[in-house]
Amino acid sequence: MIEWLGIGHLLELSGTEAVLGFLTPLLVFIFFFLAQLILPGRWVPGYVIDPETGEPRKYRLNGLLVFVIALAVWAFELTGMPRDWFYRSSLYAVAGGTVLTIVFTILAVFTQPEGKVKNRFLAWWFGRAQELQFFNHRFDVKMWFYVVGGTMLSLNALSGAVYHYELFGEDANPGVFVYAGFFTFYVLDYFIFERVQLYTYDLIHENVGFKLFWGGLIVYGWMFILPLWGMAAVPSPGFSPAATNIWLIGSVAMFLFGWGISRGANLQKYTFKRWPDRTFLGIEPQVIEAGDRRILCSGFWGVARHFNYLGEGFLGLSIALIFGHFTNFWAWTYFIFVVSMFTYRQRDDDAHCAQKYGPEKWAEYQARVKYRIIPGLY
Ligand code: NDP
């Protein structure tokens, strides 16, 4: 089965290495916990209101610095860990990380007062507290998830590229290196605009339960590179030089197009939330007033209600294409995941927003901006 799936190379560790692989997430979690706590950061007010104070929550952001330092530690092998280790230990790390996040979640949920959800399994899955902050707000669990998850995504992709190069040398697939570049760029961009994250779904709607613990740390950090589990063991597709240029340049252009949509939409919403009357890239904010809240319905938010998810869809498609093995199922796994997740998430967010802005005002927005994600289609 494993051989048929083409991931036998991920099960080649010795007994000792397997134990180390299982423990790798624990070491990573501790490293990031200390780095985030100790390294300098900037304090910013967030978007979500702290129910205890009635004021916006405070956050201490230093993701970019932590990311750069982690990248250097990995690249120069400062801990003695080989650069391909994260990739080679992927399956063991996912197993160990899953066990750890199950335990963490039990502690994070059942130390909190019982909320509306009485069923203990559902409480464990979705969480009870909206936020967990320690050391006088210095350490925020959700931002820790994203610093660990984002950085590990980039390091796992880079580690897979190193493994691929060591395996194939001259026959290596250039698409694998571009793929690692995609995610490193994606994560770098994310940390540059780290404050924008404070205005997104996870911070606003999610509680700290297993879904977010596992999703933020293990799925985002280790499993987003799922296509690479299969594709790092496959050599170059061997296209002619002209076809290689078309394939690589076309995929990179699609990636940048998707990123432009996603980043543009997120920044427009962020600008609107912080400075409601400010123009963004020449786009005047047009709004529907809903009591003391305002629904943005111009620019990116005027063509579809979640145009940012379409951007992510293009990113997913470019990732499927960048390997050049267009009929290999592994290449498509990330695309299938993002399309499923965002189809669900858009509907869920629509329902939340209808409740928050009032069904009538949200229906007015739906009538004005008809499409959910893809203008003219869906
Ligand atoms: P959004 O950033 O779209 O946040 C949704 C919230 O924005 C809503 O709950 C609402 O909150 C506010 N909002 C939505 N529409 C409007 C409007 N028209 N006017 C005013 N406010 C509005 O969602 P996400 O957090 O899901 O996404 C953030 C980014 O992260 C996206 O680019 C997404 O693609 C990316 N992402 C990528 C993932 C991946 O797997 N690749 C996973 C998750 C996210 P409120 O009214 O309270 O402000």
Side-chain angles (χ1 to χ4, degrees):
M1 174 74 170
I2 294 288
E3 286 310 320
W4 176 77
L5 283 172
I7 53 169
H9 62 287
L10 292 177
L11 285 165
E12 284 172 352
L13 300 189
S14 68
T16 316
E17 285 177 328
V19 174
L20 269 176
F22 192 84
L23 293 176
T24 294
L26 178 62
L27 302 175
V28 166
F29 294 167
I30 294 171
F31 172 90
F32 281 92
F33 170 71
L34 294 175
Q36 270 183 281
L37 209 56
I38 294 166
L39 288 170
R42 66 186 176 119
W43 286 98
V44 298
Y47 176 59
V48 172
I49 302 294
D50 182 344
E52 277 176 24
T53 61
E55 297 288 321
R57 280 188 193 284
K58 284 192 288 185
Y59 297 86
R60 191 170 162 277
L61 305 181
N62 58 8
L64 186 58
L65 184 61
V66 176
F67 173 62
V68 171
I69 288 176
L71 210 58
V73 170
W74 170 82
F76 296 109
E77 299 187 339
L78 297 183
T79 58
M81 181 188 70
R83 279 185 283 267
D84 65 356
W85 171 253
F86 284 132
Y87 178 74
R88 287 197 297 118
S89 62
S90 293
L91 293 183
Y92 304 89
V94 168
T98 302
V99 172
L100 266 179
T101 48
I102 289 173
V103 176
F104 282 174
T105 312
I106 291 173
L107 294 174
V109 172
F110 297 113
T111 50
Q112 298 298 312
E114 191 179 55
K116 281 188 210 137
V117 180
K118 303 293 173 210
N119 180 302
R120 290 170 74 79
F121 175 76
L122 290 180
W124 172 80
W125 179 265
F126 291 109
R128 284 181 175 163
Q130 189 197 29
E131 196 61 84
L132 292 176
Q133 293 188 320
F134 302 102
F135 308 112
N136 203 14
H137 309 282
R138 209 174 156 90
F139 179 78
D140 179 279
V141 170
K142 283 186 179 174
M143 296 320 280
W144 176 67
F145 290 164
Y146 291 108
V147 175
V148 178
T151 307
M152 288 313 298
L153 166 58
S154 168
L155 293 187
N156 273 309
L158 290 166
S159 179
V162 170
Y163 172 86
H164 180 75
Y165 181 71
E166 284 169 356
L167 189 63
F168 292 110
E170 294 274 290
D171 286 331
N173 179 354
V176 169
F177 306 124
V178 180
Y179 169 85
F182 277 175
F183 271 134
T184 303
F185 172 84
Y186 182 87
V187 170
L188 179 67
D189 165 75
Y190 166 85
F191 285 126
I192 289 173
F193 295 105
E194 196 177 11
R195 192 167 176 179
V196 178
Q197 185 66 20
L198 304 177
Y199 293 71
T200 57
Y201 179 99
D202 291 351
L203 274 280
I204 303 168
H205 298 309
E206 298 276 22
N207 285 346
V208 184
F210 183 71
K211 184 172 170 235
L212 206 60
F213 252 107
W214 193 64
L217 294 171
I218 306 304
V219 177
Y220 186 32
W222 272 267
M223 295 173 71
F224 262 36
I225 65 146
L226 202 61
L228 213 49
W229 287 10
M231 301 313 300
V234 179
S236 167
F239 295 144
S240 69
T244 300
N245 283 339
I246 295 172
W247 152 54
L248 291 179
I249 294 171
S251 305
V252 171
M254 182 179 292
F255 177 88
L256 291 175
F257 179 65
W259 168 77
I261 293 178
S262 191
R263 175 51 62 220
N266 292 331
L267 274 183
Q268 189 197 355
K269 177 158 69 74
Y270 170 73
T271 307
F272 172 70
K273 299 279 173 178
R274 285 199 66 196
W275 305 279
D277 299 316
R278 192 179 277 188
T279 359
F280 173 77
L281 294 178
I283 308 164
E284 292 285 339
Q286 291 171 18
V287 299
I288 294 174
E289 304 279 351
D292 55 352
R293 308 184 69 104
R294 304 166 92 200
I295 305 171
L296 178 62
C297 43
S298 57
F300 293 92
W301 299 86
V303 287
R305 299 200 295 281
H306 259 107
F307 200 44
N308 50 348
Y309 293 169
L310 183 65
E312 293 285 341
F314 279 115
L315 289 182
L317 190 56
S318 68
I319 281 167
L321 300 177
I322 196 60
F323 297 105
H325 293 282
F326 307 122
T327 55
N328 188 309
F329 180 72
W330 283 107
W332 291 93
T333 47
Y334 181 73
F335 179 69
I336 294 168
F337 165 73
V338 284
V339 170
S340 322
M341 182 180 69
F342 286 128
T343 308
Y344 164 77
R345 191 182 266 228
Q346 189 282 327
R347 286 173 180 268
D348 191 50
D349 197 45
D350 237 26
H352 276 296
C353 287
Q355 210 174 28
K356 201 163 25 180
Y357 290 95
E360 278 173 22
K361 290 296 169 185
W362 197 251
E364 193 181 326
Y365 178 49
Q366 286 173 316
R368 188 152 160 183
V369 182
K370 292 198 175 52
Y371 295 101
R372 291 173 183 277
I373 297 176
I374 313 175
L377 264 185
Y378 174 76

